[in-house]
Amino acid sequence: MSLSGHAVEWVSPTSGVALVGRFSLTRGMRYVTHTHPLHQLVWARSGVVTVGVADTTWVLPPSRALFIPAGVPHTTAGASVADMHSLYLRRERCPALWTVPTVLAAVPMLAALIGHLSGPLPEEARGRAEAVLFDVLEPAPVASAELTWPRDDRAVRVADALAADPTDPHDAAGWARLVGTSERTLSRLFVAETGVGFGRWRTRLRVRAALELLAAGTPVAVVGRRVGYGTTSAFIAAFRREVGITPARCFGS
């Protein structure tokens, strides 16, 4: 059993700072809210994993990992079929890290170290590898489709409708009329409750939907149309602004 009570394949010994767990997730498979006594680093070698903390969800392709401090309640789910690896870091043996969930760049060195630490290693070799691991843990320059759901009923109705159909063309003014409020009020609600304006929130929602399609091998041009973009170039530009890399590079690792 894992530290959260669900089955897990352990692929490292219990010595050292880092324990590595490997999870095979199917699309829609979800672990309910739980906590760990250790810090956790969530990374998918393949596929897309989502992690939720309170009203915020992070969507993690192989190019991104998420650091979750010990004791933070969270959910984990497969947005697609995914090979998820979790590094559990003993707090008393590792350097000071972040105090809030933090998106990290899953550089090739990090992927290699996770694989290296998964196997049997002499104590000195494990110590050297763990020291390098902490050297390569760096926040991503752009987050990974971080999406916070609004709470006000009017904004929730808009968010739910867009989640059901990301291609819906209504702008903020159109949605405001549909939910019986003003454009100014709706815009204020999205900023106050999600941290970003309506347009940016919709872009992040579309990127989240796109990541799931890309993980399934759907061509980039098709994905762009399915999430509401008229041209492939417009989709790639919006995706790159949110994730920091192009759709093709997102799954290149």
Side-chain angles (χ1 to χ4, degrees):
M1 299 300 286
S2 79
L3 298 175
S4 62
H6 47 259
V8 55
E9 176 190 352
W10 289 105
V11 288
S12 77
T14 57
S15 61
V17 178
L19 296 82
V20 184
R22 181 176 178 180
F23 303 75
S24 295
L25 303 180
T26 57
R27 178 181 171 85
M29 185 176 179
R30 182 174 183 271
Y31 297 125
V32 298
T33 302
H34 59 281
T35 61
H36 302 294
L38 312 180
H39 298 317
Q40 183 183 13
L41 186 70
V42 178
W43 173 67
R45 184 175 294 277
S46 64
V48 176
V49 172
T50 63
V51 178
V53 176
D55 294 326
T56 301
T57 301
W58 289 268
V59 185
L60 306 171
S63 58
R64 294 289 184 265
L66 183 70
F67 174 81
I68 307 170
V72 172
H74 62 280
T75 62
T76 309
S80 68
V81 174
D83 180 16
M84 186 182 86
H85 289 63
S86 281
L87 279 174
Y88 296 100
L89 306 172
R90 293 184 171 92
R91 292 179 292 174
E92 70 279 7
R93 298 187 190 178
C94 66
L97 297 169
W98 301 273
T99 58
V100 296
T102 301
V103 177
L104 308 178
V107 296
M109 178 65 78
L110 176 60
L113 283 167
I114 292 174
H116 186 56
L117 289 167
S118 297
L121 291 172
E123 183 176 346
E124 290 185 1
R126 176 166 292 278
R128 290 193 297 269
E130 290 173 343
V132 176
L133 170 71
F134 292 115
D135 283 343
V136 301
L137 294 184
E138 292 289 344
V142 180
S144 187
E146 177 181 333
L147 195 66
T148 300
W149 222 254
R151 297 179 299 278
D152 182 275
D153 179 66
R154 293 161 294 183
V156 168
R157 287 162 60 192
V158 175
D160 288 347
L162 286 171
D165 181 13
T167 66
D168 189 289
H170 286 94
D171 58 11
W175 278 114
R177 288 191 297 270
L178 288 172
V179 298
T181 190
S182 68
E183 179 182 2
R184 181 177 179 180
T185 296
L186 184 65
S187 298
R188 177 179 56 79
L189 287 171
F190 267 90
V191 171
E193 296 185 355
T194 73
V196 294
F198 169 80
R200 181 77 180 277
W201 190 93
R202 179 167 61 181
T203 298
R204 290 185 176 184
L205 178 78
R206 287 175 169 177
V207 168
R208 186 178 75 170
L211 285 167
E212 298 177 12
L213 293 168
L214 291 166
T218 308
V220 171
V222 175
V223 172
R225 292 194 300 271
R226 288 189 184 178
V227 300
Y229 290 93
T231 66
T232 302
S233 59
F235 165 60
I236 292 173
F239 189 99
R240 187 167 189 169
R241 283 195 301 270
E242 289 300 324
V243 183
I245 55 178
T246 63
R249 283 190 60 201
C250 197
F251 290 87
S253 62

